[in-house]
Amino acid sequence: MATSQFLLCLILLSSTQFFSVYSHEFEVGDNKGWAVPSSKNDDFYNDWASKQRFLVNDSIDFKYNKDSVMVVTADEYVKCHSSHPIFFSNTGNTTYRFDHPGLFYFISGVSGHCAKGQRLIIKVLESHISPPPASQNGTGGSSAGSNGAVNVAAPFAAPLVMSALVAFLIRFF
């Protein structure tokens, strides 16, 4: 009996690796970072974003020097100005996580940079799997992915699946 209980616990613990959600961490602009684009490409950041697929719980990293990043409304995006942004950071290395689907509007907070093309619209799609609990700073383990994205594993609870697995295994032990 003790052996079967030990085996059951071992199976349950090892099976938790199957219950994870993957999110992606994208580096804005890939190796160019967050800076005023060349005069030849005012749509550089929106072109970059159109080649990605963003889901709820994904995050984006802005790397920049002597600049800032702001999340703003659609109207503020068009005007290239916000006196009360939804989010603001000027640390030089900013990570922003998408916690809901929809459109997100980003602009530089430095005067004139947005008008020169340093702005970005990202469309975030609903994830088909329940997202992990919100985290302020942690990103979990990660590994390199395609398109400059980093795959970030984040475990989530799956009580119904685990209950069914336990009931199934108990029946045989």
Side-chain angles (χ1 to χ4, degrees):
M1 184 68 171
T3 304
S4 63
Q5 289 176 342
F6 173 75
L7 183 59
L8 178 62
C9 288
L10 184 63
I11 290 170
L12 288 175
L13 289 174
S14 66
S15 68
T16 59
Q17 68 180 327
F18 298 109
F19 303 108
S20 63
V21 163
Y22 284 92
S23 62
H24 295 280
E25 192 170 298
F26 297 88
E27 179 132 356
V28 173
D30 295 327
N31 60 350
K32 297 195 186 289
W34 181 241
V36 175
S38 69
S39 60
K40 298 173 193 165
N41 193 356
D42 287 351
D43 286 330
F44 173 76
Y45 290 106
N46 288 326
D47 290 344
W48 170 83
S50 71
K51 295 175 183 138
Q52 317 300 328
R53 183 168 183 237
F54 300 96
L55 299 174
V56 171
N57 209 47
D58 285 350
S59 59
I60 55 174
D61 288 333
F62 293 85
K63 299 205 183 333
Y64 50 92
N65 294 314
K66 297 182 182 177
D67 211 315
S68 62
V69 61
M70 298 191 301
V71 177
V72 298
T73 66
D75 288 338
E76 292 168 327
Y77 175 87
V78 170
K79 294 176 185 173
C80 277
H81 177 74
S82 175
S83 54
H84 300 296
I86 298 165
F87 172 84
F88 173 83
S89 179
N90 63 357
T91 63
N93 187 8
T94 300
T95 300
Y96 187 86
R97 189 177 67 79
F98 301 113
D99 60 358
H100 64 276
L103 294 174
F104 290 78
Y105 301 90
F106 298 88
I107 63 173
S108 169
V110 174
S111 181
H113 284 198
C114 176
K116 293 178 182 174
Q118 193 176 356
R119 60 186 182 166
L120 167 67
I121 301 172
I122 292 183
K123 181 178 182 179
V124 177
L125 304 173
E126 183 71 49
S127 175
H128 296 289
I129 303 174
S130 300
S135 170
Q136 292 294 328
N137 299 328
T139 58
S142 63
S143 60
S146 61
N147 295 330
V150 175
N151 297 326
V152 181
F156 70 95
L160 293 176
V161 176
M162 291 302 287
S163 298
L165 181 62
V166 169
F168 176 78
L169 291 174
I170 287 175
R171 193 174 221 186
F172 291 101
F173 291 103

